[in-house]
Amino acid sequence: MNRLLYNVEDKPPFGLSLLLAAQHLLAALGGIIAVPLVIGNVLKLPTADTITLVNAALLVSGLVTVVQCRGLGPIGIRLPSVMGTSFTFVAAALAIGFSEYGISGILGASLVGSLVMIVGSFFMPSIRKLFPPVVTGTVVMMIGLSLIPVAVDWFAGGQRGDADYATPANLMMATFVLVIVIVLVQWGKGIFSAAAIVIGMMTGYIVALALGWVSFDGVKNADIFALPQPLHFGLSFPISGIIGMSIAYLVTIVESSGNFLALGNATQTEITGKHLRGGVLADGLGSALAAIMSTTPFSSFSQNIGVISLTGVASRYVVALTGVLLVLAGLFPVFGALIVSIPLPVLGGAGLMMFAMIIAAGIQMLDTVERSRRNGLIIAISIGCGLAVTTRPELLDKLPHFFKEVLGSGITVGSLLVIILNLILPEEKTHQE
């Protein structure tokens, strides 16, 4: 095992800490802003509302990151964990967002659903038993697969039917960003590899700027500084939406647990039940705060665990400083407006890579699963039915509204099936060779 440059309790000099914190900020920024951007773009929210989602996401990410790193009583894992908006909730959120409830329904369902995580944090050992690798791997893979159509529309520069959908210029721009990201991930060193998504998007943005593709109307109208807007969208509580969100929270408990175990490995810390309980509790309470502050739920970020492994800097104080930087970013709406002005093909080049990497992570998890007829059946049925709903949502058009809303997300369908099948299909007897 590599020797760490800075251990969990070490405090590097402030100047160096700031530089290292900025590196974590760059690595996390793409992921944190991507979820509110997906929701804002797909639901066609006014620019001002998308900016509100982005700023609240940055602010709450920062607050929850500080609590996760420093701890607050029983809350927080007290390890260098960056928190951010989670892709796990996107499909469930969009299913609610397209109903009559809109954003208020997403946030209300998120608030009630967060109780699953808050209560679940006290039952970590039992809940984890529902999610062996065959379940987690399938769920993570389904998350990536169901987000690919969103990335493809970004890549093409809009929605199917738009006049400039998939124009050669849009495709070239998106491909340019994608190639930069691939080159940096594969051959970049240090921060260039860790922040490949952000650097790719920044490069694409500069080229788009030179081509006159960027509109600064939102930036001109945005406040330089603004306090957050709690309950900006209001709250409403669709029962079916709450069920969908609760399932997503169950999945996130497992996702975060896996990340915390990986974090323990990177920081050379033995992860105890107390660590997991504190980490998941911070996750749940942070997600409840996110709903009140007008943004989507949270989980721990795996890309920052990669930064720790890469740099050998495991100091929780460095990552707490990243949290402070995120709070500052969230207090300046002009920063959010600048992010929202990124043209869709630029987002698409990076987004396709981000979502495809989630699929790859799921495949790597499934690689550890024993190859058997039972496991093959579980994976095939869950992904097949999840993709059926993702690629042909009209499949559910003639079903009652309740079923349509609950089963409207491929992630929900895939997750429910994989959990149920794993519980009911008998284990195969292994023969002695």
Side-chain angles (χ1 to χ4, degrees):
M1 196 174 272
N2 294 335
R3 201 171 66 82
L4 294 173
L5 287 175
Y6 290 99
N7 291 308
V8 172
E9 297 299 332
D10 291 345
K11 292 184 184 177
F14 182 74
L16 178 59
S17 290
L18 201 58
L19 189 67
L20 296 169
Q23 177 170 257
H24 276 285
L25 179 76
L26 281 175
L29 204 56
I32 293 170
I33 64 173
V35 175
L37 284 180
V38 170
I39 290 170
N41 280 317
V42 177
L43 297 180
K44 295 187 164 57
L45 294 184
T47 304
D49 283 352
T50 306
I51 291 168
T52 299
L53 281 174
V54 169
N55 285 322
L58 290 165
L59 181 75
V60 181
S61 290
L63 291 171
V64 184
T65 297
V66 172
V67 171
Q68 198 69 282
C69 295
R70 302 297 295 262
L72 189 66
I75 309 163
I77 194 168
R78 291 172 167 78
L79 288 173
S81 177
V82 175
M83 305 301 291
T85 49
S86 171
F87 277 113
T88 311
F89 299 92
V90 170
L94 292 178
I96 303 166
F98 281 121
S99 72
E100 70 268 28
Y101 297 102
I103 293 284
S104 72
I106 295 173
L107 299 179
S110 299
L111 183 60
V112 177
S114 68
L115 288 170
V116 168
M117 209 162 197
I118 294 164
V119 174
S121 68
F122 298 99
F123 300 95
M124 283 311 298
S126 312
I127 289 174
R128 263 195 77 73
K129 284 176 194 154
L130 282 177
F131 291 87
V134 68
V135 174
T136 9
T138 304
V139 169
V140 170
M141 197 169 160
M142 198 57 240
I143 291 166
L145 286 168
S146 67
L147 289 170
I148 289 292
V150 172
V152 170
D153 283 343
W154 283 359
F155 205 93
Q159 298 295 315
R160 274 185 300 179
D162 290 356
D164 58 351
Y165 187 84
T167 58
N170 283 347
L171 297 180
M172 282 172 68
M173 172 62 80
T175 305
F176 170 67
V177 174
L178 178 63
V179 169
I180 289 173
V181 173
I182 292 169
V183 168
L184 289 174
V185 167
Q186 182 62 43
W187 290 286
K189 294 279 187 286
I191 194 165
F192 290 101
S193 175
I197 300 278
V198 175
I199 295 169
M201 281 167 63
M202 279 163 56
T203 311
Y205 188 78
I206 290 163
V207 174
L209 202 58
L211 294 172
W213 287 19
V214 181
S215 164
F216 286 113
D217 292 346
V219 179
K220 286 174 195 158
N221 298 329
D223 298 328
I224 301 287
F225 175 83
L227 290 168
Q229 301 175 42
L231 304 176
H232 173 72
F233 300 99
L235 297 171
S236 53
F237 305 97
I239 298 296
S240 47
I242 290 168
I243 292 167
M245 277 289 182
S246 298
I247 292 165
Y249 273 111
L250 269 175
V251 173
T252 305
I253 288 177
V254 182
E255 198 186 323
S256 284
S257 302
N259 281 340
F260 293 147
L261 293 169
L263 182 63
N265 187 43
T267 59
Q268 297 172 20
T269 307
E270 190 186 338
I271 298 295
T272 62
K274 188 180 173 187
H275 279 116
L276 287 176
R277 191 164 57 243
V280 172
L281 182 58
D283 231 345
L285 290 169
S287 294
L289 176 67
I292 292 164
M293 301 301 283
S294 314
T295 196
T296 51
F298 282 71
S299 73
S300 59
F301 267 24
S302 51
Q303 54 264 55
N304 292 85
I305 299 167
V307 174
I308 292 166
S309 304
L310 212 67
T311 58
V313 178
S315 166
R316 64 191 176 114
Y317 299 100
V318 163
V319 176
L321 192 56
T322 304
V324 174
L325 296 179
L326 282 166
V327 170
L328 291 174
L331 289 171
F332 293 90
V334 69
F335 184 72
L338 205 58
I339 291 162
V340 174
S341 71
I342 299 169
L344 285 180
V346 174
L347 276 178
L352 193 65
M353 181 75 175
M354 268 196 294
F355 302 158
M357 289 298 279
I358 298 172
I359 299 171
I363 293 169
Q364 284 165 350
M365 286 177 179
L366 290 175
D367 199 36
T368 64
V369 173
E370 183 198 348
R371 284 168 173 74
S372 67
R373 188 185 306 161
R374 173 189 183 271
N375 287 341
L377 201 59
I378 291 171
I379 295 163
I381 294 171
S382 307
I383 288 180
C385 294
L387 275 179
V389 174
T390 302
T391 55
R392 292 287 181 272
E394 56 274 19
L395 194 65
L396 308 171
D397 281 354
K398 293 184 172 60
L399 290 181
H401 180 74
F402 174 83
F403 292 103
K404 194 175 162 184
E405 209 170 308
V406 172
L407 303 175
S409 148
I411 295 173
T412 307
V413 172
S415 303
L416 276 174
L417 276 173
V418 74
I419 291 166
I420 293 164
L421 289 171
N422 182 60
L423 289 172
I424 63 172
L425 290 185
E427 292 279 353
E428 290 177 10
K429 293 181 176 70
T430 50
H431 299 289
Q432 294 290 329
E433 291 194 9

